[in-house]
């Protein structure tokens, strides 16, 4: 098991290489590579994505970091066409190729938020199926996340949706904060998922009112229960911290101490997980 963290905010503040160096120096094993640039859906510049991917891979190798999961651009919307002629769709596919170059095996792709008059299941089914050939081409898996603005407010719904996609290309990304916001403790959501579907996880805390993305133990979630549920489920991926909000508001001088603290929290969660796994 690796302890990883999303690179979005650190990259914004310090640039690509320095952000990865900070993550390594703090003690992380790897990174959740974000293809988003502004937190609102705008993707990073992917006009020269192969060269950029090779550059990032050289930095990962230089600092001995792994990248096993990433966040695809979430700029695609209802008004976009499922065609490479459409920039937002094309950026998604470029992120798949980018991910394959840096050694990343899972790309989290957000479902599309829709008005109530459009069938969420049907539209997003067609959306993910349009991405499937490209995932196969580049040897990556697409993870469907339990977003708050989706129909995946219960684990049986997310499991059913992935089963209907009917391909080993697809898996689930469980965001523990999102399940809390949708009225279900994360440990119940995890154990409610079909056994072989969870491919990755987003770890952060919340007050169950807003999607806070706080550090674990700073909100309302029961982390002992969450780690036990992951062990009981048979989870075998990484502990990936998605603690974006604190980093967004923190002075640059406090960012490295915070990232070091985040590693310690991740290691503590790992030990808790292992204690239950070995029982």
């Amino acid at each position: 098991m690796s302890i990883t963290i999303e690179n979005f905010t650190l990259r914004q503040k310090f640039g690509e290489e320095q952000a990865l160096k900070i993550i390594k120096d703090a003690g992380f094993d790897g990174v959740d590579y974000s293809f988003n640039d502004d937190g609102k859906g705008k993707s990073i510049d992917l006009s020269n994505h192969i060269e950029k991917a090779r550059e990032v891979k050289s930095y990962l190798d230089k600092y001995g970091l792994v990248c096993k999961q990433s966040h695809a651009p979430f700029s695609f919307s209802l008004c976009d066409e499922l065609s490479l002629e459409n920039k937002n769709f094309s950026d998604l596919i470029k992120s798949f190729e980018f991910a394959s170059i840096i050694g990343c095996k899972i790309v989290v792709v957000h479902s599309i938020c829709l008005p109530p008059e459009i069938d969420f299941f049907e539209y997003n089914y067609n959306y993910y199926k349009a991405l499937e050939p490209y995932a196969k081409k580049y040897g990556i898996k697409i993870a469907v996340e339990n977003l708050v603005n989706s129909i995946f407010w219960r684990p049986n719904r997310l499991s059913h949706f992935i089963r209907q996609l009917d391909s080993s290309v697809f898996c689930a990304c469980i965001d523990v904060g999102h399940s809390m916001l949708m009225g279900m403790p994360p440990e119940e959501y995890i154990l409610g998922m079909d056994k072989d579907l969870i491919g990755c996880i987003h770890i952060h805390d919340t007050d169950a009112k807003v999607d806070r993305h706080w550090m674990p133990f700073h909100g309302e979630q029961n982390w002992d229960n969450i780690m036990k549920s992951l062990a009981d489920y048979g989870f075998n991926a990484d502990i990936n911290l998605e603690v974006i909000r604190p980093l967004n508001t923190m002075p640059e001088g406090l960012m490295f101490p915070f990232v070091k603290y985040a590693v310690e929290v991740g290691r503590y969660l790992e030990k808790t997980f292992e204690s239950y796994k070995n029982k």
Side-chain angles (χ1 to χ4, degrees), residues 108-206:
V108 177
V109 178
H110 285 185
S111 55
I112 307 303
C113 183
L114 299 168
E117 63 270 19
I118 297 178
D119 185 277
F120 180 96
F121 189 103
E122 181 181 2
Y123 182 91
N124 278 284
Y125 174 88
N126 292 331
Y127 170 58
Y128 283 110
K129 292 300 280 186
L131 296 172
E132 182 182 354
Y134 301 100
K136 289 180 176 178
K137 178 180 180 179
Y138 295 115
I140 59 101
K141 281 195 167 191
I142 296 172
V144 184
E145 186 173 350
N146 58 328
L147 296 179
V148 175
N149 59 358
S150 70
I151 64 169
F152 307 132
W153 55 283
R154 289 295 180 265
N156 62 312
R157 290 189 168 212
L158 180 54
S159 293
H160 176 68
F161 182 79
I162 295 172
R163 292 295 187 207
Q164 291 299 112
L165 289 170
D166 192 27
S167 171
S168 60
V169 160
F170 299 101
C171 63
C173 171
I174 305 303
D175 185 301
V176 297
H178 293 171
S179 64
M180 192 80 167
L181 287 167
M182 292 187 284
M184 177 174 276
E187 56 269 28
E188 293 182 21
Y189 200 104
I190 290 163
L191 292 176
M193 288 293 299
D194 286 3
K195 276 293 183 184
D196 58 341
L197 290 186
I198 300 178
C200 61
I201 193 162
H202 290 165
I203 295 288
H204 59 93
D205 216 331
T206 180

Side-chain angles (χ1 to χ4, degrees), residues 216-236:
F217 305 103
H218 288 246
E220 299 297 322
Q221 294 170 180
N222 187 315
W223 290 97
D224 192 72
N225 287 350
I226 292 171
M227 291 301 109
K228 183 178 186 302
S229 69
L230 286 171
D232 290 346
Y233 179 86
F235 182 71
N236 61 359

Side-chain angles (χ1 to χ4, degrees), residues 21-264:
K21 185 178 186 302
I22 289 169
I23 289 168
K24 176 62 177 181
D25 289 348
F28 277 99
D29 302 310
V31 62
D32 171 3
Y33 192 87
S34 176
F35 290 100
N36 296 287
D37 194 42
D38 65 353
K40 298 177 182 178
K42 179 185 174 184
S43 71
I44 63 171
D45 182 7
L46 291 168
S47 58
N48 201 8
H49 68 290
I50 294 177
E51 182 179 335
K52 174 72 172 175
R54 289 171 178 164
E55 177 187 26
V56 170
K57 182 64 165 67
S58 72
Y59 297 150
L60 291 169
D61 290 346
K62 179 179 179 178
Y63 298 114
L65 292 169
V66 297
C67 178
K68 299 180 185 177
Q69 66 186 81
S70 63
H71 245 108
F74 40 85
S75 50
F76 191 91
S77 65
L78 176 60
C79 61
D80 290 314
E81 294 181 3
L82 297 168
S83 164
L84 291 176
E85 301 302 312
N86 177 275
K87 181 184 183 301
N88 289 333
F89 186 83
S90 177
D91 278 353
L92 278 167
I93 306 312
K94 287 178 179 179
S95 77
F96 292 178
E97 186 172 14
F98 191 125
S100 72
I101 292 170
I102 66 174
C104 176
K105 297 300 183 185
I106 296 179
V107 180
V108 177
V109 178
H110 285 185
S111 55
I112 307 303
C113 183
L114 299 168
E117 63 270 19
I118 297 178
D119 185 277
F120 180 96
F121 189 103
E122 181 181 2
Y123 182 91
N124 278 284
Y125 174 88
N126 292 331
Y127 170 58
Y128 283 110
K129 292 300 280 186
L131 296 172
E132 182 182 354
Y134 301 100
K136 289 180 176 178
K137 178 180 180 179
Y138 295 115
I140 59 101
K141 281 195 167 191
I142 296 172
V144 184
E145 186 173 350
N146 58 328
L147 296 179
V148 175
N149 59 358
S150 70
I151 64 169
F152 307 132
W153 55 283
R154 289 295 180 265
N156 62 312
R157 290 189 168 212
L158 180 54
S159 293
H160 176 68
F161 182 79
I162 295 172
R163 292 295 187 207
Q164 291 299 112
L165 289 170
D166 192 27
S167 171
S168 60
V169 160
F170 299 101
C171 63
C173 171
I174 305 303
D175 185 301
V176 297
H178 293 171
S179 64
M180 192 80 167
L181 287 167
M182 292 187 284
M184 177 174 276
E187 56 269 28
E188 293 182 21
Y189 200 104
I190 290 163
L191 292 176
M193 288 293 299
D194 286 3
K195 276 293 183 184
D196 58 341
L197 290 186
I198 300 178
C200 61
I201 193 162
H202 290 165
I203 295 288
H204 59 93
D205 216 331
T206 180
D207 57 4
K209 297 176 183 177
V210 179
D211 196 15
R212 300 293 189 187
H213 287 267
W214 287 337
M215 189 74 78
F217 305 103
H218 288 246
E220 299 297 322
Q221 294 170 180
N222 187 315
W223 290 97
D224 192 72
N225 287 350
I226 292 171
M227 291 301 109
K228 183 178 186 302
S229 69
L230 286 171
D232 290 346
Y233 179 86
F235 182 71
N236 61 359
D238 298 334
I239 290 179
N240 181 62
L241 295 174
E242 199 178 54
V243 287
I244 303 165
R245 306 292 184 219
L247 283 169
N248 280 345
T249 59
M250 193 166 290
E252 286 188 14
L254 291 177
M255 282 190 169
F256 183 70
F258 178 83
V259 177
K260 286 195 72 173
Y261 168 56
V263 172
E264 293 303 314

